[in-house]
Amino acid sequence: MNAPNKSGWKPEMQAAESGFLGGPVTSTGNRGLMLKEPLLFEIGRADVTGVDLPEVDASAPTRLGGLARSEAIGLVGLTEPETVRHYTRLSRQNYGIDLGFFPLGSCTMKHNPRLNEKMARLPGFADIHPLAPQNAVQGALEVIHQLGEWLCTLTGMPAVAMSPKAGAHGELCGILAIRAAHEARGDAREVVLVPESAHGTNPATAAFAGYRVEDIPATPEGRVDVAALKARLGPDVAGVMITNPNTCGLFEKDFREIADAVHAAGGYVYCDGANFNAIVGKVRPGDLGVDAMHINLHKTFSTPHGGGGPGSGPVVLSEALAPFAPLPFIRQNASDGSFYLVEEENREERGPSFGRMTAFHGQMGMFTRALTYMLSHGADGLKQVAEDAVLNANYILRSMEDILHAPFGASGPCMHEALFGDKDFTNGLSTLDVAKGLIDEGYHPMTVYFPLVVHGAMLVEPTETESKAAIDQFITAFRGVVERALEGDEALKQAPYYSPRRRLDETGAARKPKLAYEG
Amino acid sequence: MRYLPLTDTDRQAMLAKIGASTIDDLFVDVPEVARLDGPIHGLPMHASEMAVERHMKALAAKNLVAGEVPFFLGAGAYRHHVPASVDTIIQRGEFLTAYTPYQPEIAQGTLQMLFEFQTQVARLYGCAVANASLYDGSTACWEAVAMATRVTKRKRAVLSGALHPHYAQVVKTMAHFTGDEIADALPAITAEPDLEGLMARIDEDTACVVVQYPDILGRISDLTPVAEAAHAKGALLVVVNTEPVALGAIKSPGEMGADIVVGEGQSLGVGLQFGGPYLGLFAVRDPKHVRQMPGRLCGETTDAEGKRGFVLTLSTREQHIRREKATSNICTNSGLCALAFTVHMTLLGETGLRQLAAENHRLACLAADRLAKVPGVEVLNNAFFNEFTLMLGGKPAREIIRDLADRGVLGGVSLGRLYPGVEALEHALLVAVTETTTEDDIERLAEELEASIKETV
């Protein structure tokens, strides 16, 4: 397989010609700027510290109740320059949005504005305590209140719970509100309906809240099967959890009809708002009959993903569910405009709230970033965000569908993500190989093998962050890798070649888990 | 608009390629009645960086900054000095703008960091395995209870009265829906926690007993007897720690026989941030319990060339594989806060953490002795680390705290705020002291507290 393919990519020849893989062996194992970095525990020392603190006075009196530590903890330290170098070297083995295109579907890897970071670090936000007297933190309460009001405006919903700490925590908030609402009217229900294409967090959340989960099938065009859903509704169904736009990248155009049917059967409608960025400023979910929807501030409102969080998942609620919102929440005094927290003690105002989900008020550091982003974009900019995200995704869909199976390409325009499948690949090649091939081309792969309803799913979400030039370049690279998969290029099975690591043995890692450094 | 690279020319060219004439053709599946025809009403139009900065700074200026006044608040969130290099590292785009390491070949930075983090947390807690973080200490506490019910196949959890009341609230909220039984209690205002009473509440149906260490009143005591009592009844001991710095001075929960150790990691690297984002820590002492753990786990492996590398592993516990049978619904966790914790812990090392803990304790002892001299004030605790409880001789602590804030001192957390409506706790004040507290701050608190007590009826 040394012949160049249509994209001009010649993996083995290039490797040999460039000397990159077959070149001289270095004594350090480094390759120019690609630097090997040992584990902290291999380079740190127990007697080294990077912080100047007073020496421990072993003779000083203590009041530790006889529990002073006698055994070593087993930690190691580095001086400041060593620490900075260690983590800087590690950082260079990571792909991030700052480095390039990151079309991880459903995750919305958009640019993280640095103004957001600067604002979140203002001491007036970063250096205040969650239990400070409320007269000392009026500005912080105002931030939460203002952000909450704008989330209500953008979604057309009357109320919001700000404390959930991420999307899945927001789902839990919404589902608990639904359960509390049913309990309040003495109506025990057992089942939550979830489409097959849902995020795994949806069934996990419903199960965690004590519900039995039943799947709703999809139509061949990639949307909820409305007839099947309606047929399943009944007095045992507490509600539905539907992602809209859905994980196949399509708008659920019958959402209102679904919501009306669910309501008529005494249930509630949970909308997974992970994909709200496609419709922000264009459609208000409240107009579609939603009772609860979480909003991932780390997706739609640009707070950084941080290598796996922290996120933030405020939940907007309908009139029916609002009274059950978790504590604490913020209210404004009509008399003097000041803000205050409603907590366990405010017995009248807390009403039938289902209680507290987290120790404090939620992800303040994410609130300041999201509010900064909203102010930057404004009403006009947020609408443009949704439009550009959808435009970019459709452009990719239509630029790829001639060579790559797009299972719902005929279902109309996609929203903010384009979904493909691997059914036409040959020679045993699959989605995984295309993903790894894209790594060699300098891209973070799309989301793979999700949603589960498509064989070898590839979910591409470009977001509004990318320029046309960047997307065109990606399309060229993506087409090149797909062509190799269609042709059955064996070399693709070994990709990636040029990343800090080659394919990793995940089976071995799980068979004999090594989850901490030993030694 | 500064964040949007497409030009109108680009947009037209792209629409042409798609075969659409206007952008609204792409929203054709949205029912017309639900479509908005212009920018939504109720939000301002876009604004320059300078204008946004002005708006946010005005909001920030309305808060009393902890670092600008004598500051003594704790109760689950502690103000420590964070070395400058921590924030520099976490702002590197390769860490800041990456996501959950689904593609390990290009996420070794995050993965190796998580492996180091898991090792640091496990060692600090005296455990075998720690996960890659949860949202915060309170949700980690619930996850521990839920895990204990899975391991023991029992549905009853006994909470110590001296568990942080917000943590207890979170557990009770969740248990209401899962059908687990929670036996909780109020803290006894005594110099030593009532461990005998706690142990008496453990029975054959108990999945776990949950104890905070140091507890909500700042007290510390040997939990070995509680571990033995729990194990004798087939229950697990869950220990909750809200101040990881304490474990630089006192025995680890694992050494005392805790089965699951959870806590809040905010003290190291993360900062106060008005309550979030914080860092949930979760560890188990016995590796046999690993497959019942919630959350992500990073494990060591090798790549196709035999090089050491790291991956997320044992994901068959998790929601994206197991769906409704997952051990937790958690997806996004606190990755960047874990990085901040790890960088701070690396800078400290064994030596620095022990010095930091000793300095916290030294200043706390100074403060306790000085505040005990204020007329009408008594220190409740026999033992403490960096936080203790003051009894205010019948004066209402919440009013005193508000009055102190007006005097420019953030004097602590009143138990009246944490336990509203519980008369026995209204006169108690929690005071936390860290390395950021100066001797002048302590003197100032003592003086203002004396004045405030005199003037408060």
Side-chain angles (χ1 to χ4, degrees):
Chain A
M1 290 299 297
N2 280 344
N5 69 4
K6 286 178 198 161
S7 66
W9 203 91
K10 303 179 289 178
E12 290 169 23
M13 285 174 66
Q14 187 174 341
E17 285 163 4
S18 70
F20 186 72
L21 289 176
V25 174
T26 56
S27 64
T28 53
N30 296 333
R31 288 170 178 167
L33 278 175
M34 200 69 252
L35 303 164
K36 276 179 66 158
E37 185 59 13
L39 275 164
L40 165 65
F41 292 88
E42 295 162 341
I43 52 176
R45 287 87 75 203
D47 57 352
V48 167
T49 178
V51 181
D52 290 318
L53 284 158
E55 295 285 337
V56 178
D57 175 4
S59 66
T62 64
R63 295 166 76 171
L64 297 171
L67 289 166
R69 199 182 250 284
S70 49
E71 302 287 312
I73 306 165
L75 296 171
V76 293
L78 296 173
T79 59
E80 178 172 312
E82 294 171 298
T83 302
V84 169
R85 190 168 289 167
H86 176 64
Y87 290 105
T88 300
R89 285 182 172 213
L90 287 187
S91 76
R92 289 163 49 89
Q93 301 184 22
N94 259 13
Y95 197 94
I97 308 164
D98 282 0
L99 202 63
F101 187 43
F102 204 133
L104 194 65
S106 222
C107 296
T108 312
M109 305 302 287
K110 63 168 70 177
H111 173 62
N112 304 141
R114 290 317 194 270
L115 179 64
N116 302 0
E117 297 303 307
K118 186 177 175 188
M119 294 301 96
R121 285 168 172 80
L122 291 173
F125 297 133
D127 194 18
I128 53 175
H129 192 283
L131 296 171
Q134 294 178 35
N135 56 350
V137 289
Q138 284 293 305
L141 298 177
E142 189 174 342
V143 164
I144 303 177
H145 182 79
Q146 183 163 70
L147 177 63
E149 282 210 323
W150 286 359
L151 292 175
C152 288
T153 300
L154 286 167
T155 55
M157 301 284 281
V160 62
M162 295 298 287
S163 69
K165 309 231 30 127
H169 206 224
E171 290 175 27
L172 194 57
C173 172
I175 289 295
L176 295 187
I178 287 171
R179 190 121 174 230
H182 277 130
E183 281 178 3
R185 60 178 201 228
D187 184 3
R189 295 187 175 221
E190 297 157 15
V191 177
V192 166
L193 305 180
V194 178
E196 295 164 323
S197 59
H199 297 111
T201 49
N202 291 180
T205 298
F208 216 62
Y211 285 115
R212 200 169 74 242
V213 178
E214 288 186 24
D215 278 349
I216 317 170
T219 62
E221 67 160 10
R223 293 188 167 92
V224 172
D225 184 333
V226 181
L229 183 143
K230 281 185 177 172
R232 181 57 192 87
L233 290 174
D236 61 334
V237 174
V240 296
M241 296 181 87
I242 298 179
T243 307
N244 196 21
N246 71 23
T247 61
C248 298
L250 303 174
F251 194 87
E252 294 286 359
K253 48 184 162 187
D254 299 320
F255 200 95
R256 181 82 234 188
E257 186 186 345
I258 294 169
D260 290 345
V262 172
H263 289 152
Y268 292 101
V269 177
Y270 188 88
C271 179
D272 182 329
N275 297 337
F276 184 52
N277 57 306
I279 56 170
V280 60
K282 295 288 289 183
V283 188
R284 302 189 313 166
D287 295 335
L288 299 170
V290 168
D291 289 298
M293 181 180 97
H294 76 263
I295 299 158
N296 305 76
L297 297 185
H298 52 293
K299 296 180 181 177
T300 304
F301 297 106
S302 83
T303 73
H305 285 69
S312 182
V315 177
V316 287
L317 296 164
S318 64
E319 293 287 357
L321 296 185
F324 305 98
L327 302 172
F329 45 88
I330 289 165
R331 289 265 168 84
Q332 189 168 18
N333 264 317
S335 54
D336 63 356
S338 66
F339 298 92
Y340 64 99
L341 285 167
V342 176
E343 297 187 280
E344 282 80 355
E345 64 179 306
N346 310 79
R347 291 182 199 284
E348 281 180 23
E349 277 188 87
R350 65 165 288 186
S353 162
F354 69 69
R356 189 179 284 267
M357 294 188 77
T358 174
F360 302 118
H361 330 300
Q363 307 285 62
M364 181 67 184
M366 302 294 117
F367 299 158
T368 48
R369 287 172 175 88
L371 186 62
T372 301
Y373 180 79
M374 281 189 189
L375 285 161
S376 295
H377 271 304
D380 50 340
L382 288 173
K383 177 171 175 282
Q384 192 68 54
V385 160
E387 291 179 355
D388 283 1
V390 169
L391 180 65
N392 284 347
N394 277 281
Y395 185 68
I396 291 175
L397 178 65
R398 300 308 170 203
S399 300
M400 294 300 299
E401 65 183 351
D402 61 321
I403 60 163
L404 185 58
H405 176 57
F408 307 120
S411 303
C414 65
M415 297 307 286
H416 64 302
E417 48 199 1
L419 178 61
F420 304 100
D422 69 355
K423 81 176 181 64
D424 299 329
F425 296 172
T426 62
N427 201 15
L429 286 160
S430 67
T431 286
L432 184 71
D433 305 309
V434 167
K436 301 304 184 191
L438 276 172
I439 291 176
D440 279 334
E441 299 286 352
Y443 292 99
H444 193 286
M446 65 295 282
T447 289
V448 293
Y449 301 104
F450 177 84
L452 309 176
V453 292
V454 170
H455 190 273
M458 287 170 260
L459 190 62
V460 181
E461 180 179 5
T463 83
E464 73 281 5
T465 290
E466 301 307 320
S467 68
K468 179 170 181 294
I471 291 179
D472 283 336
Q473 193 184 44
F474 169 72
I475 289 167
T476 303
F478 193 15
R479 288 184 70 92
V481 178
V482 167
E483 279 167 8
R484 292 171 58 203
L486 294 170
E487 289 164 7
D489 182 352
E490 283 283 339
L492 207 48
K493 290 183 181 172
Q494 306 302 319
Y497 294 83
Y498 302 137
S499 49
R501 288 292 180 280
R502 303 290 302 278
R503 285 194 200 193
L504 289 135
D505 180 6
E506 303 195 28
T507 313
R511 195 180 303 125
K512 211 175 166 209
K514 191 172 174 194
L515 307 169
Y517 180 75
E518 290 156 16
Chain B
M1 277 172 233
R2 61 186 181 274
Y3 305 142
L4 300 177
L6 293 187
T7 64
D8 281 337
T9 315
D10 293 334
R11 293 184 182 111
Q12 287 311 320
M14 294 166 83
L15 283 170
K17 165 80 187 172
I18 294 163
S21 50
T22 71
I23 187 70
D24 280 331
D25 290 352
L26 302 181
F27 288 86
V28 68
D29 288 330
V30 178
E32 208 157 338
V33 290
R35 268 184 255 167
L36 300 166
D37 49 11
I40 202 159
H41 297 293
L43 259 69
M45 293 295 138
H46 72 274
S48 71
E49 191 165 303
M50 203 167 62
V52 175
E53 196 165 335
R54 197 176 291 136
H55 181 98
M56 295 302 290
K57 278 185 170 163
L59 287 168
K62 294 181 185 177
N63 301 319
L64 185 56
V65 176
E68 291 176 2
V69 293
F71 175 87
F72 296 90
L73 276 72
Y78 301 89
R79 183 169 189 277
H80 289 284
H81 177 76
V82 178
S85 50
V86 173
D87 200 42
T88 309
I89 294 291
I90 71 168
Q91 287 205 67
R92 281 193 69 91
E94 300 92 330
F95 284 129
L96 185 77
T97 73
Y99 202 18
T100 305
Y102 297 118
Q103 298 288 343
E105 298 89 348
I106 48 172
Q108 286 298 305
T110 292
L111 285 159
Q112 182 170 331
M113 174 281 287
L114 288 175
F115 191 78
E116 294 175 356
F117 168 80
Q118 290 176 179
T119 306
Q120 286 173 333
V121 173
R123 291 183 178 191
L124 186 70
Y125 278 179
C127 285
V129 177
N131 77 7
S133 81
L134 299 171
Y135 307 131
D136 70 357
S138 65
T139 56
C141 182
W142 160 251
E143 292 278 9
V145 170
M147 176 174 152
T149 64
R150 289 193 297 273
V151 169
T152 60
K153 302 193 168 56
R154 300 175 181 181
K155 293 188 75 65
R156 179 171 185 268
V158 174
L159 310 188
S160 150
L163 173 66
H164 195 300
H166 290 173
Y167 287 40
Q169 292 291 349
V170 171
V171 170
K172 286 192 284 184
T173 296
M174 292 304 304
H176 169 77
F177 294 101
T178 56
D180 295 308
E181 182 200 340
I182 304 299
D184 68 336
L186 286 169
I189 296 290
T190 47
E192 300 279 350
D194 178 18
L195 295 185
E196 292 296 330
L198 176 68
M199 290 187 279
R201 293 197 281 135
I202 305 170
D203 62 20
E204 266 77 21
D205 296 325
T206 302
C208 64
V209 52
V210 183
V211 191
Q212 187 174 322
Y213 170 81
D215 74 15
I216 184 65
L217 302 184
R219 301 170 302 189
I220 41 184
S221 43
D222 189 354
L223 301 178
T224 312
V226 184
E228 286 164 1
H231 295 157
K233 298 273 167 78
L236 304 184
L237 173 62
V238 174
V239 171
V240 176
N241 169 268
T242 62
E243 171 53 295
V245 175
L247 301 179
I250 56 178
K251 277 187 182 167
S252 72
E255 275 179 84
M256 296 186 291
D259 300 285
I260 305 174
V261 186
V262 296
E264 177 52 66
Q266 158 277 336
S267 277
L268 292 174
V270 179
L272 290 174
Q273 306 200 84
F274 201 51
Y278 279 2
L279 173 65
L281 308 180
F282 193 111
V284 297
R285 183 170 50 88
D286 189 335
K288 77 169 185 248
H289 288 143
V290 160
R291 283 169 205 272
Q292 287 297 337
M293 284 175 81
R296 311 268 188 212
L297 284 166
C298 170
E300 185 182 317
T301 188
T302 50
D303 79 352
E305 291 176 358
K307 287 185 191 156
R308 177 173 67 192
F310 302 91
V311 291
L312 292 180
T313 192
L314 300 181
S315 38
T316 49
R317 303 164 297 113
E318 292 188 68
Q319 46 79 23
H320 62 284
I321 309 288
R322 279 302 281 285
R323 297 174 80 82
E324 65 267 25
K325 295 189 180 67
T327 56
S328 167
N329 76 333
I330 194 167
C331 180
T332 295
N333 54 28
S334 298
L336 201 68
C337 300
L339 174 64
F341 178 100
T342 280
V343 177
H344 194 172
M345 191 67 107
T346 298
L347 286 161
L348 288 167
E350 178 95 15
T351 302
L353 184 65
R354 281 171 169 265
Q355 290 173 342
L356 180 64
E359 181 65 358
N360 273 250
H361 188 58
R362 182 185 74 83
L363 285 161
C365 289
L366 268 182
D369 290 342
R370 175 64 185 92
L371 293 168
K373 293 198 181 99
V374 174
V377 170
E378 280 176 62
V379 175
L380 177 73
N381 306 48
N382 283 344
F384 57 84
F385 169 62
N386 69 352
E387 186 169 28
F388 49 82
T389 302
L390 292 184
M391 302 308 295
L392 301 184
K395 300 284 183 174
R398 287 189 92 168
E399 283 176 39
I400 301 259
I401 283 297
R402 286 188 202 123
D403 182 51
L404 286 172
D406 290 340
R407 295 164 186 266
V409 175
L410 290 170
V413 176
S414 70
L415 286 189
R417 167 111 187 240
L418 292 174
Y419 299 93
V422 182
E423 217 168 301
L425 300 173
E426 278 174 6
H427 313 299
L429 175 63
L430 272 177
V431 174
V433 178
T434 73
E435 77 284 359
T436 64
T437 313
T438 66
E439 292 183 30
D440 285 349
D441 291 340
I442 294 169
E443 190 54 36
R444 179 85 192 284
L445 173 62
E447 285 166 10
E448 299 291 355
L449 185 62
E450 182 166 349
S452 184
I453 285 176
K454 267 187 201 149
E455 287 166 30
T456 306
V457 184

